[in-house]
Amino acid sequence: MSNLSDLLPAGAGGKQVDFVASGALANGQTVALKTNGTVEVVSGQNESYGTAVSSGSDNSVYFSGCYNATTSRIIIIGRGPSSDVIYMIGTVSGNAITFLNGSNGTAIPPYSGVTTNFMGIASESNSAYVMFVTQEAENNNYGAAIAGLISGSSISWGSRYQFASVNVTQPIGISYDPDANRFLTLYQQTNQNGYAIVLQRTSGTNITSGNRVLFGSSEAPKYFGLSYDTAADKTLITWAKLTGSSGGARAAVASISGTTVTIGTVLNIPNSPGAAEMYTAQSALSYDPVLNKHLLLTQAYFSAGGNFNCGAVILSVSGAAVTGSGAPTAIVAAGGAKFLGAACVYHPASGLFAVGIINGSTGYLTAGTCNISTGTPVLSSLTTTSTVPVSNYALSSFLNTDIGNVAFVVKGTNNDAHTQMYAPASSNSSSFIGITDAAIANGASGSVTIKGGISSNVTSLTPNTTYYVQTNGTLSTGPTTVLAGKALSSTSINLDYTT
């Protein structure tokens, strides 16, 4: 049972029902009904964000970041002083970031004093290893990779592995496929073709790769998105087509077998009505494993406002095929601030996508959430999270899977990277079903007075006053979308059934 209608006929006034507790429940605890029929504590958090912390790098239009769940470490890479490629390794507590290897980071050995430009990093999901990819500006712009092992406050890096003996241009994309235990890398060559290649860490920090596979032929593909689909066990890839007068966006499914990647049929995402040009700025892609859909954020031109704003497209994977919701939906109001870059990460606690957007009018990072449950992307109001001025287009994000907060990495106007943690508002209060009649141990069955009944396990209420369930599970007169009921006395409440 997962709905109140499963428990009571319409209009019934049932009192107590026994449920199995998911987690220990206190006496008089507000509880929420889970989809598996158990109940849990009503809990949540308000929207919050931490202080933007300098990641110590210089000329950091080139940077990337990831989170390693095995070691509970965040990793930021970027260009440092003297053209070094540096990494910052840190921990997160709440929204506070502590970098463990100093304010200027540590050089990655093969690139100490050696210029590299475009770069990316991704983490394995079940080990302490990460994979770093870059364009070697002082080596004919070839593409190279290095695997690293995290230990405490440092990373032991292996030898560089050259995966592309061609001139690599534009940002490099990389993501990890946990099913294949491989990394997928995307890059553009100077011949304006895109290529996908599989990188495999064979043992320790040793790397091998398969043959590169062509995609986006003559489209000068750029601003790659990679999002692993857990239902299909495949990676959805997106890119901006930069050749021609009108631009465009593309999507396809990448399937990995061994070190071979196969690219499925390409989806051409249509332009917005009246669009003269679109998809020419940094974009973002992330996956919702509950709805089994991906959210693509990109720049799009909307004729109503005569401006480039943030557009959103919902994408779905079935086998090796991808379908989309059509032309981008404007999620930043037409005529509003010019869109200068976006990032998005699925946030499990809220069931929404955490979204970061650079406001072109103020030059600051703004953050909020995007809801795609209705089939149309809906953006919440945006909060300016930092007073650190941000430069155009340079924005990336990743999820801290241990505590569920999101890291945004941005380029400051003085060319240094800043990392900031953000926590969207989240709560299970909308699934409120009642109040426990006594304490219930985790996994045990116990009685709950459900909606439509009268609970006498409350305190400090004002009689004849309406109460609401708050985000954190407490009862208060402050209105929310979840009505609890009306107090009959200081210790009893008639739980509302109509909602």
Side-chain angles (χ1 to χ4, degrees):
M1 55 188 171
S2 59
N3 296 293
L4 194 58
S5 59
D6 297 330
L7 307 175
L8 298 171
K15 305 293 185 183
Q16 288 81 28
V17 176
D18 284 348
F19 291 93
V20 173
S22 176
L25 303 176
N27 182 25
Q29 173 71 58
T30 56
V31 293
L33 182 64
K34 300 179 66 174
T35 56
N36 63 1
T38 64
V39 290
E40 64 182 352
V41 172
V42 173
S43 62
Q45 62 183 15
N46 295 322
E47 180 186 50
S48 62
Y49 50 89
T51 301
V53 180
S54 174
S55 301
S57 51
D58 181 58
N59 193 20
S60 293
V61 67
Y62 310 116
F63 61 76
S64 185
C66 68
Y67 181 74
N68 181 269
T70 300
T71 60
S72 300
R73 296 290 188 268
I74 62 170
I75 313 297
I76 310 295
I77 57 169
R79 283 250 297 263
S82 304
S83 297
D84 293 343
V85 177
I86 66 163
Y87 71 89
M88 305 284 293
I89 182 169
T91 58
V92 176
S93 177
N95 283 323
I97 303 169
T98 302
F99 285 114
L100 306 176
N101 59 334
S103 59
N104 292 315
T106 306
I108 297 177
Y111 300 113
S112 178
V114 178
T115 300
T116 68
N117 288 328
F118 311 110
M119 59 187 71
I121 191 169
S123 174
E124 295 184 3
S125 60
N126 55 359
S127 80
Y129 285 93
V130 293
M131 184 75 73
F132 165 70
V133 292
T134 189
Q135 176 221 55
E136 298 181 324
E138 296 186 12
N139 183 30
N140 301 307
N141 293 326
Y142 289 170
I146 304 177
L149 175 63
I150 301 170
S151 177
S153 60
S154 65
I155 302 177
S156 298
W157 298 96
S159 301
R160 57 176 293 280
Y161 175 83
Q162 190 168 296
F163 64 82
S165 300
V166 294
N167 192 324
V168 172
T169 66
Q170 308 303 337
I172 299 176
I174 183 170
S175 70
Y176 177 68
D177 180 329
D179 182 62
N181 193 26
R182 306 287 192 272
F183 293 88
L184 179 64
T185 297
L186 307 179
Y187 64 92
Q188 181 198 142
Q189 194 176 323
T190 49
N191 61 7
Q192 295 193 328
N193 290 336
Y195 292 95
I197 191 167
V198 175
L199 300 176
Q200 178 186 2
R201 185 182 60 80
T202 54
S203 63
T205 54
N206 296 320
I207 302 172
T208 189
S209 66
N211 295 323
R212 65 179 188 169
V213 174
L214 174 69
F215 72 94
S217 177
S218 301
E219 291 184 342
K222 189 177 180 180
Y223 303 121
F224 303 116
L226 298 95
S227 182
Y228 181 73
D229 190 303
T230 57
D233 287 332
K234 301 179 188 297
T235 300
L236 178 65
I237 64 173
T238 59
W239 65 94
K241 169 186 174 292
L242 296 187
T243 55
S245 59
S246 61
R250 305 287 186 261
V253 176
S255 305
I256 295 176
S257 177
T259 56
T260 300
V261 59
T262 303
I263 307 297
T265 302
V266 175
L267 172 69
N268 296 329
I269 299 173
N271 284 348
S272 299
E277 181 183 0
M278 63 184 303
Y279 309 116
T280 55
Q282 185 259 359
S283 59
L285 181 71
S286 186
Y287 173 67
D288 178 340
V290 178
L291 297 177
N292 191 26
K293 296 183 183 298
H294 303 252
L295 176 65
L296 171 66
L297 300 183
T298 187
Q299 184 190 68
Y301 183 91
F302 295 94
S303 56
N307 208 348
F308 288 100
N309 292 315
C310 187
V313 180
I314 300 173
L315 300 169
S316 301
V317 172
S318 178
V322 55
T323 56
S325 58
T329 299
I331 61 171
V332 173
K338 183 179 179 181
F339 166 75
L340 294 180
C344 66
V345 181
Y346 178 70
H347 186 253
S350 64
L352 305 171
F353 289 92
V355 173
I357 294 176
I358 299 175
N359 185 309
S361 296
T362 65
Y364 296 128
L365 174 66
T366 60
T369 57
C370 188
N371 188 339
I372 66 169
S373 61
T374 64
T376 299
V378 178
L379 185 69
S380 69
S381 58
L382 296 174
T383 300
T384 299
T385 61
S386 175
T387 57
V388 176
V390 177
S391 182
N392 293 7
Y393 308 130
L395 174 63
S396 66
S397 61
F398 54 91
L399 179 70
N400 180 324
T401 55
D402 285 346
I403 62 175
N405 291 5
V406 174
F408 290 119
V409 189
V410 297
K411 175 192 174 185
T413 52
N414 60 349
N415 286 336
D416 60 338
H418 288 79
T419 306
Q420 183 175 34
M421 300 305 298
Y422 172 71
S426 62
S427 177
N428 59 356
S429 61
S430 62
S431 298
F432 167 72
I433 192 172
I435 297 174
T436 58
D437 297 317
I440 310 174
N442 179 35
S445 180
S447 178
V448 175
T449 296
I450 64 172
K451 299 163 88 173
I454 297 174
S455 173
S456 298
N457 249 10
V458 291
T459 59
S460 305
L461 303 185
T462 302
N464 201 34
T465 300
T466 299
Y467 282 84
Y468 297 85
V469 182
Q470 305 300 302
T471 298
N472 62 3
T474 60
L475 300 180
S476 174
T477 57
T480 69
T481 58
V482 184
L483 175 63
K486 182 171 286 189
L488 303 179
S489 69
S490 62
T491 58
S492 63
I493 185 171
N494 186 5
L495 297 177
D496 177 75
Y497 179 77
T498 61
T499 58

